[in-house]
Every structure is written in C-alpha cells, then in structure tokens.
Amino acid sequence: MSLVTLLPFIVLIGAMFLMTRSAKKKQQQAADMRNQMQPGSGVRTIGGMYATVKEVSDDTVLLDAGPGVELLFAKNSIGAVLTDDEYNRIVHGIEHDLKSDSDVVPDDASSLTKSADADDSADGAAAASDDASVDLGKKDATDEVEEQAAEAEADEEPKKTDGDSDAKK
C-alpha cells in the first residue's frame, strides 16, 4: 500500500481524535463545575430552573426552589453554577453596582454642560414656553372660514383683461 491510499484514513482518524478530545475537555469542565458546588450557591438546572443549593452528596443535590420547596436532583442535571451577583440579578432582579452612586450618568446631557444657575433659568424658560401655544401648521375652523370669504370676494371683483373678450363671436 502506498502513502497516497493511506492518507485519507489517517486524516479521518486524526479528525476523530481531535473531536473526541474537545468533547472530553467540555465534560471534564462540567464535572469540575458540579464538584465545586457548595451549599448556598445559586444554580441553573438543564431544564432552566433557578434554585439555591441546600445539600450536596456524591450523586445528588438538594435544591431550595422557594419557601418550603426542596427538590432532589442528580448532579448531572445541574447546567451551571452561578455567581452570587448573577443569581441575584436573574432571580431577584437585584442589580449589583460595582461603582459608587456618585458616578451615575444623568439622563439629560444638559446637566453636564450648564451650571446650577443656568439650570434654574432654563427650567423657568421651559415652563414659560409650555404655556405658549405651538403652531403645528394646522388651521382652526375660523381661519378656514376667513380664507374662504377672502377668496369669494376676490372672485366677485371684475377681472381686468387685455381687451380680449371671452364671449363667443
């Protein structure tokens, strides 16, 4: 047999080896993650349920899913072990700020460019401008009636011509 005939078989065996190697790495990482579970840590099951670990044994995990609800799961059914911040954000809706409250970005950028006195006068001007009506290009009914009357008057006046008459000859 020549090397050319054996080459496809060698490439196929090499590809299979690389694929099984990456799958084994993922399985090992998942097993390590499950072994690092401790009581009190938040987890997500492969079914998508979020709970807190109450007890860990060799093959099973006792989860606290709510007040008075304890569930026994196989360790293999734990999809992810979550950090405390991530668990609180997902389950309780609590956002953990890493920065202090003084570094909050304002909703309005004008507060970044104006002084405090200018803010007060700008607020007063905004309130005054709210009271004035804004012309949106719409006409009231009285405006329309006045325009129609003006057009009617213009139609009643005799039109000046250059001497040509519209009468039939």
Side-chain angles (χ1 to χ4, degrees), residues 30-45:
D32 291 342
M33 179 244 342
R34 289 183 187 113
N35 289 333
Q36 292 176 357
M37 278 189 298
Q38 299 176 8
S41 61
V43 295
R44 182 184 67 234
T45 65

Side-chain angles (χ1 to χ4, degrees), residues 26-36 75-76:
K26 288 180 183 178
Q27 287 176 349
Q28 185 63 34
Q29 287 175 348
D32 291 342
M33 179 244 342
R34 289 183 187 113
N35 289 333
Q36 292 176 357
K75 265 190 177 180
N76 291 339

Side-chain angles (χ1 to χ4, degrees), residues 80-135:
V81 177
L82 308 172
T83 63
D84 291 338
D85 292 337
E86 186 178 13
Y87 180 77
N88 287 332
R89 180 182 58 82
I90 293 170
V91 175
H92 303 295
I94 299 171
E95 293 288 335
H96 179 68
D97 293 332
L98 298 177
K99 297 180 179 180
S100 66
D101 291 337
S102 63
D103 295 337
V104 174
V105 177
D107 291 338
D108 186 16
S110 64
S111 64
L112 298 174
T113 57
K114 296 180 183 177
S115 65
D117 296 334
D119 285 343
D120 293 337
S121 63
D123 291 341
S129 66
D130 289 341
D131 295 338
S133 63
V134 177
D135 182 22

